[in-house]
Every structure is written in C-alpha cells, then in structure tokens.
C-alpha cells in the first residue's frame, strides 16, 4: 500500500524537454512529496545513486485511486474534480462528461418514464388480458433500455457527441409522450 514498485520516472520542463530520469524499486507515494528509495538518477549523460530522493508530485496515493474509481459511485463535485485531474494528465474526459450528463438528465428521464407509463395505462383499456398488458410494458421497457445503451455506447466511443448521446433518447421519449398524449386526448 502507498508504494510504487519498479518504477521509472521521467521529469520534463515546461517545454517538454527531459530534465532527468529516475529509476527505483520502491517509491512511497502516500503524500504529494514522494520518497524515492535507492534512486538511480540519470541526468545530463551521468548517473548518480541516492538512498532517499524526494520529489514533489501533483498526485498522492489517494488522488491516484480516485482516478480509477467507478464513475457511477461519484457525486457531481467528485466528477468535476476527476475531470480536472484527467485534463491535467491529458486523459480523455469523455466518460466523465458522459457520467455528469447522465446524472443531470436522470430526473428528466424519471419524469418522462412516469408520464409514459401513466399514458400507456390510460390507453390499455383496449387490452383484455393482463398478460398482454404486462408483455407490452416489458417490450416497451426493453426497447427504451437498449435505445439508451446504444446511444451511450455511441457517446463513449465518440461516434457522436456526449450531449447527443444522453439527450437524444430523452427527446425521443418526449416526442413519444406528446404523440401518445394527443392520441389519448382525442379519445
């Protein structure tokens, strides 16, 4: 715990030119001030050895763990922090952005599904058997589930923008709610 084993670190300046390379079998990363044990430092074509070498990093053990956590278990504030950390590391923020939009759109999704289910229940007077009503509801929920997953996968793979991947299924639900509501109102 809190250790990196058999590590090779390259330090760069602001122009991305190599300052030095550091090799070590054990690095304590518990805090932002990393302790490198038995460090071999390669700098300007020379090699030196140091028993303990300290190096400051923007990342500690706890911060690194949050970079690889389950995104669905994070709050919006934690997701925004993670997005900032990903940008610092030049990681793709697509999945973080996707999760942020999923959280923001979830209340809208629940509202639309409630409206859709109530409108469908008002229209099921034509169905005589309960089995047919349940089958129709399950069929519709499976279609909505796979439609959402299809758009999310398209957003994760960056085939379509994240905003479209989250909000297009909701727009489809809004349109279907409006159409079904007008048909119910005509009856």
């Amino acid at each position: 715990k809190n250790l990196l084993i058999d590590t090779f670190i390259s330090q760069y300046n602001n122009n991305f030119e190599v300052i030095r390379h550091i090799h070590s079998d054990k690095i304590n990363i518990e805090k932002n001030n990393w302790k490198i044990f038995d460090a071999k430092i390669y700098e300007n074509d020379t090699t030196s050895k140091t028993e303990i070498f300290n190096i400051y990093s923007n990342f500690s053990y706890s911060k690194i763990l949050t970079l690889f956590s389950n995104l669905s278990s994070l709050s919006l504030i934690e997701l925004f922090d993670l997005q900032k950390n990903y940008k610092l590391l030049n990681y793709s923020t697509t999945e973080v952005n996707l999760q942020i939009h999923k959280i923001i759109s979830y209340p809208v999704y629940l509202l639309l599904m409630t409206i859709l289910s109530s409108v469908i229940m008002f229209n099921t007077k034509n169905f005589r058997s309960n089995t047919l009503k349940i089958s129709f509801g399950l069929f519709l929920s499976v279609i909505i589930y796979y439609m959402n997953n299809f758009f999310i996968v398209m957003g994760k793979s960056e085939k379509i923008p994240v905003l479209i991947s989250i909000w297009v299924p909701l727009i489809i639900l809004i349109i279907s709610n409006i159409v079904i509501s007008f048909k119910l109102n005509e009856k």
Side-chain angles (χ1 to χ4, degrees):
K1 187 175 182 179
N2 299 332
L3 294 177
L4 291 178
I5 306 298
D6 194 22
T7 307
F8 194 85
I9 298 174
S10 297
Q11 280 187 310
Y12 299 93
N13 62 14
N14 291 338
N15 296 327
F16 298 103
E17 297 167 344
V18 175
I19 298 173
R20 68 178 139 221
H21 300 290
I22 303 166
H23 179 264
S24 175
D25 291 331
K26 184 169 76 170
I27 301 175
N28 186 340
I29 60 170
E30 185 175 359
K31 298 177 182 164
N32 287 17
N33 191 17
W34 293 6
K35 288 186 179 181
I36 303 174
F37 300 100
D38 298 325
K40 292 179 187 172
I41 302 168
Y42 305 97
E43 187 173 13
N44 297 330
D45 295 331
T46 61
T47 304
S48 61
K49 278 188 125 182
T50 308
E51 280 191 40
I52 294 179
F53 184 74
N54 290 323
I55 187 171
Y56 181 79
S57 173
N58 291 329
F59 296 95
S60 63
Y61 178 75
S62 59
K63 199 168 190 180
I64 290 172
L65 281 181
T66 61
L67 292 175
F68 303 106
S69 63
N70 184 359
L71 296 181
S72 62
S73 66
L74 300 177
S75 69
L76 272 175
I77 295 169
E78 292 169 328
L79 284 170
F80 285 122
D81 288 341
L82 185 64
Q83 183 183 42
K84 184 176 70 175
N85 289 337
Y86 274 19
K87 285 180 182 176
L88 282 173
L89 292 172
N90 256 351
Y91 280 3
S92 172
T93 59
T94 303
E95 289 197 31
V96 177
N97 292 335
L98 196 69
Q99 189 63 30
I100 288 171
H101 285 284
K102 280 170 67 175
I103 289 174
I104 292 170
S105 68
Y106 193 66
V108 176
Y109 174 74
L110 289 178
L111 176 70
L112 291 173
M113 289 303 290
T114 303
I115 291 171
L116 182 66
S117 63
S118 62
V119 167
I120 287 174
M121 287 311 296
F122 286 129
N123 277 333
T124 58
K125 292 178 183 174
N126 299 337
F127 297 136
R128 299 275 183 238
S129 87
N130 287 337
T131 307
L132 193 58
K133 290 178 188 179
I134 292 171
S135 299
F136 180 70
L138 286 174
F139 176 73
L140 200 57
S141 65
V142 167
I143 286 184
I144 292 169
Y145 174 80
Y146 281 112
M147 178 183 65
N148 279 336
N149 278 351
F150 173 75
F151 278 98
I152 287 173
V153 168
M154 294 294 281
K156 278 184 183 177
S157 63
E158 299 179 1
K159 301 287 184 194
I160 59 176
V162 171
L163 281 172
I164 291 175
S165 70
I166 294 297
W167 292 98
V168 164
L170 295 177
I171 291 170
I172 292 171
L173 277 175
I174 289 171
I175 292 170
S176 63
N177 279 343
I178 290 171
V179 168
I180 294 172
S181 296
F182 279 135
K183 286 186 179 182
L184 178 67
N185 197 22
E186 288 174 1
K187 289 181 183 178

